[in-house]
């Protein structure tokens, strides 16, 4: 399963380790993905989402019903 946030779309990024001597080697910046279970009253059931830390904050501000409606509108699995 890929490390992509279902709310914000955050995914892995790529860059370089830079040593003291300024040599560069490749590295990955993984998104902080968590599996969270929410009760969605509009669906009448629990929904498990793979969300980033920023996605959790977005759910807190907008509400889970609005966020799930956006995911369904985009064609995502809920």
């Amino acid at each position: 399963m890929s490390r992509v946030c279902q709310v914000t779309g955050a995914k892995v990024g790529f860059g370089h380790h830079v040593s003291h001597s300024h040599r560069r080697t490749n590295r990955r910046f993984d998104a902080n993905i968590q599996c969270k279970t929410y009760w969605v009253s509009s669906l009448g059931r629990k929904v498990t989402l793979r969300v980033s830390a920023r996605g959790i904050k977005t759910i807190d501000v907008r509400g889970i019903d609005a966020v799930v409606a956006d995911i369904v509108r985009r064609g995502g699995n809920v």
Side-chain angles (χ1 to χ4, degrees):
M1 190 175 271
S2 61
R3 295 182 61 87
V4 177
C5 177
Q6 290 180 297
V7 176
T8 63
K11 55 187 174 183
V12 67
F14 295 94
H16 293 95
H17 286 289
V18 180
S19 70
H20 179 71
S21 65
H22 214 64
R23 290 181 56 129
R24 295 177 178 163
T25 55
N26 295 332
R27 64 158 293 179
R28 289 169 48 125
F29 293 94
D30 288 328
N32 185 8
I33 302 295
Q34 311 291 323
C35 285
K36 295 285 286 182
T37 302
Y38 294 96
W39 172 258
V40 182
S41 59
S42 62
L43 298 176
R45 64 183 176 94
K46 290 182 181 179
V47 172
T48 300
L49 298 174
R50 290 175 58 84
V51 292
S52 62
R54 174 63 60 189
I56 293 170
K57 293 176 186 178
T58 301
I59 291 170
D60 289 343
V61 171
R62 295 183 53 207
I64 187 64
D65 290 321
V67 171
V68 167
D70 283 346
I71 293 171
V72 170
R73 193 176 308 121
R74 284 185 299 200
N77 293 339
V78 178

